[in-house]
Amino acid sequence: MNLLAIGSACVAILAIYGYYSQVRYFKNLPKFIDGFVDPRFKQVEDAFRQNVNNELELGGTFAAYYKGELVVDLWGGYANAESPWRNDTLGTIFSVSKGVAAILLAKFVEKGYIDYNQKVSHYWPEFAQNGKESITVGMLVSHQSGIIGFDEKLQFTLMSSDYDRFLSILAAQKPQWTPGTKVGYHVITYGLYIDALLAKADPHKRPIERIFREEISEPYGIDFFQGIPYEEQYRAETRIYIKSVWDILPHIFSKRFFNLCTSMWFDKNNYLKTSVTTFQIGTSLYSLSDRHIKRLPCSSFNGHATARGLAKLFGNIVNTGNNKEGNILSKSTVENIDDIVSSQIDAILNFHIVFGRGFTIHKNNKGQKTFCHFGFGGQGACGDKENKLSVAYISNHLNPLIFGADDRYNSLVDAVYRSVEMIEKESA
């Protein structure tokens, strides 16, 4: 056996041991779920309980709104090895943050602060350099700008130590393709540029975390933070856990994952490699548990929320015109929120994605459109205008190979739709 094989085997053994040394504490802890479920949605509780009892879920939460009312609000498992998940635990929602940013951007468009058809440089003059002069807001929000990574590795912490320099690096970066000629999921850069645009276009010149707070969270009672202030971090999950190799074997052997891996390994100019290796959050993924990292606002991956808060946000959108706390968006804006901008093979992820303006567009079990965003590890939030339904799921037990909805999420959402079908049959 050569040294490479021995080294690989040792790494694999250490990885497996590391995983089980993290999660073994959970094995002897009592399994529990708590929360509220409308009796008509009892099968959602059953599905959530099964996920927790079968150890598919270490810690997580799921919520749903139906016709403006909270009908499911469940949480269970543990936020870390010492603390149970509580009703107010804030989970990291990763790329679901992009969906929240898309809602805020739509609100800015509605207010007249931004125009989808206007060039980004109209609001941010320094942006008009190195091939970005023609990029419109619409291109930026729908993953067509081509600004997918950086020429030199960019440190996330530079945002707090020298924000002006951070912005100048964003403004100077050249795109990887001619803007508007391709569509590719901008994994990291999406939120960096959307946040900068929102702050530049804001007539009140507020920092981005304050814009989210004053435009979304506070006026509509949405439990969401774009970067958690220190005084709220006592509520945050303090550890994230990656699923074991055994848990993700079906995904490892999938054609989609094989194609992604081979292209990343053998193509030095691979777009996905550029997207994920030229931006450094910290020393590892677990740096997201650091309190100083948690406080930095970034709509790419660093939003934090309860599932109840996310479901309420998307629920407000689908129930616009009938919300007791006021409507985040007008009916005319909501009418077009699930419009399809592109439907094609993604240039970065190499599989078919349907994009709207900041959302991925899907179909429910009836073939009706929904507007969603999913996040690393299995997080997800969706709005369904036809059924006036919204759902949200957050977990700290992450599947690193998921690109879209997680099996746990799917089991819960399927139970929600079965419940809605029963309600409709009984009322017919």
Side-chain angles (χ1 to χ4, degrees):
M1 184 181 290
N2 60 35
L3 289 176
L4 179 60
I6 293 173
S8 299
C10 289
V11 169
I13 291 169
L14 287 172
I16 293 170
Y17 173 76
Y19 170 77
Y20 283 106
S21 68
Q22 289 182 44
V23 303
R24 65 187 173 86
Y25 298 103
F26 293 90
K27 306 295 182 181
N28 298 322
L29 293 172
K31 295 178 175 60
F32 79 98
I33 72 168
D34 201 352
F36 159 79
V37 177
D38 183 305
R40 299 173 297 172
F41 290 81
K42 176 67 167 60
Q43 54 187 309
V44 183
E45 178 185 349
D46 296 339
F48 189 79
R49 188 180 301 278
Q50 185 175 8
N51 288 345
V52 172
N53 289 343
N54 292 343
E55 297 176 351
L56 298 174
E57 189 69 82
L58 291 183
T61 175
F62 180 81
Y65 271 76
Y66 180 53
K67 295 184 177 179
E69 299 295 332
L70 180 65
V71 293
V72 179
D73 185 18
L74 293 168
W75 56 90
Y78 294 82
N80 54 55
E82 293 79 34
S83 305
W85 200 286
R86 302 183 304 267
N87 71 322
D88 65 344
T89 297
L90 294 168
T92 306
I93 64 173
F94 294 95
S95 286
V96 181
S97 309
K98 296 179 175 77
V100 181
I103 291 173
L104 179 56
L105 183 61
K107 189 173 181 65
F108 265 38
V109 170
E110 190 173 283
K111 287 188 167 188
Y113 299 165
I114 289 178
D115 185 333
Y116 288 122
N117 297 316
Q118 184 60 264
K119 292 179 180 179
V120 173
S121 59
H122 176 78
Y123 311 99
W124 184 4
E126 299 83 359
F127 182 86
Q129 56 178 303
N130 290 331
K132 302 192 304 300
E133 294 84 355
S134 66
I135 295 176
T136 65
V137 174
M139 290 180 190
L140 195 67
V141 76
S142 57
H143 301 273
Q144 298 181 61
S145 74
I147 321 168
I148 61 172
F150 300 97
D151 294 335
E152 296 183 8
K153 185 167 287 189
L154 179 60
Q155 301 285 339
F156 186 33
T157 52
L158 185 62
M159 178 183 287
S160 61
S161 62
D162 192 343
Y163 187 59
D164 288 339
R165 185 180 169 212
F166 188 85
L167 281 181
S168 69
I169 291 172
L170 297 187
Q173 180 58 45
K174 65 179 183 295
Q176 294 290 314
W177 62 70
T178 302
T181 63
K182 295 182 181 180
V183 178
Y185 180 56
H186 292 40
V187 183
I188 298 296
T189 57
Y190 181 94
L192 303 179
Y193 283 93
I194 292 295
D195 288 349
L197 171 64
L198 287 165
K200 292 287 185 180
D202 179 32
H204 308 294
K205 303 305 176 187
R206 296 167 291 182
I208 190 63
E209 62 270 33
R210 184 179 159 198
I211 296 175
F212 275 96
R213 186 174 70 246
E214 294 182 354
E215 298 287 347
I216 299 288
S217 302
E218 290 179 349
Y220 303 102
I222 307 297
D223 201 2
F224 167 85
F225 293 92
Q226 197 61 277
I228 313 179
Y230 289 128
E231 62 269 21
E232 292 285 347
Q233 290 197 18
Y234 73 95
R235 296 203 282 141
E237 61 178 10
T238 56
R239 198 73 166 92
I240 53 178
Y241 302 89
I242 304 297
K243 282 181 172 287
S244 74
V245 173
W246 313 114
D247 291 332
I248 60 178
L249 273 177
H251 301 286
I252 290 176
F253 292 109
S254 69
K255 182 179 179 180
R256 177 182 292 182
F257 183 68
F258 176 80
N259 289 341
L260 283 173
C261 285
T262 53
S263 61
M264 283 188 71
W265 285 332
F266 297 113
D267 180 4
K268 66 178 181 179
N269 297 316
N270 177 263
Y271 286 151
L272 181 57
K273 183 189 296 183
T274 300
S275 297
V276 300
T277 62
T278 61
F279 184 81
Q280 187 167 348
I281 296 172
T283 55
S284 73
L285 177 67
Y286 298 111
S287 296
L288 288 172
S289 297
D290 181 272
R291 64 192 298 263
H292 302 301
I293 296 292
K294 279 185 177 293
R295 77 176 179 85
L296 297 178
C298 178
S299 293
S300 293
F301 55 80
N302 214 28
H304 301 81
T306 60
R308 179 176 58 252
L310 275 182
K312 185 177 184 180
L313 172 60
F314 279 72
N316 184 290
I317 305 304
V318 301
N319 198 51
T320 193
N322 299 294
N323 292 300
K324 298 174 183 176
E325 294 179 86
N327 304 305
I328 296 174
L329 298 175
S330 68
K331 286 186 177 181
S332 60
T333 299
V334 172
E335 184 177 343
N336 301 314
I337 203 164
D338 55 2
D339 283 355
I340 293 174
V341 175
S342 66
S343 178
Q344 61 191 71
I345 299 297
D346 188 90
I348 294 177
L349 298 181
N350 200 31
F351 58 85
H352 191 270
I353 302 180
V354 181
F355 278 120
R357 292 190 179 99
F359 304 102
T360 53
I361 308 302
H362 302 263
K363 290 184 178 180
N364 62 19
N365 59 353
K366 298 178 181 178
Q368 300 160 328
K369 282 196 299 184
T370 62
F371 60 99
C372 311
H373 216 297
F374 298 99
F376 178 74
Q379 332 300 319
C382 273
D384 178 342
K385 294 191 303 185
E386 293 295 328
N387 295 285
K388 297 192 182 302
L389 179 69
S390 65
V391 297
Y393 170 71
I394 303 171
S395 173
N396 65 3
H397 195 195
L398 311 179
N399 184 339
L401 306 185
I402 283 292
F403 298 97
D406 180 85
D407 291 342
R408 296 163 295 178
Y409 171 94
N410 286 335
S411 69
L412 297 165
V413 173
D414 287 348
V416 169
Y417 275 100
R418 288 196 302 270
S419 301
V420 170
E421 287 178 2
M422 290 178 62
I423 293 169
E424 291 176 344
K425 286 179 181 178
E426 291 174 0
S427 62

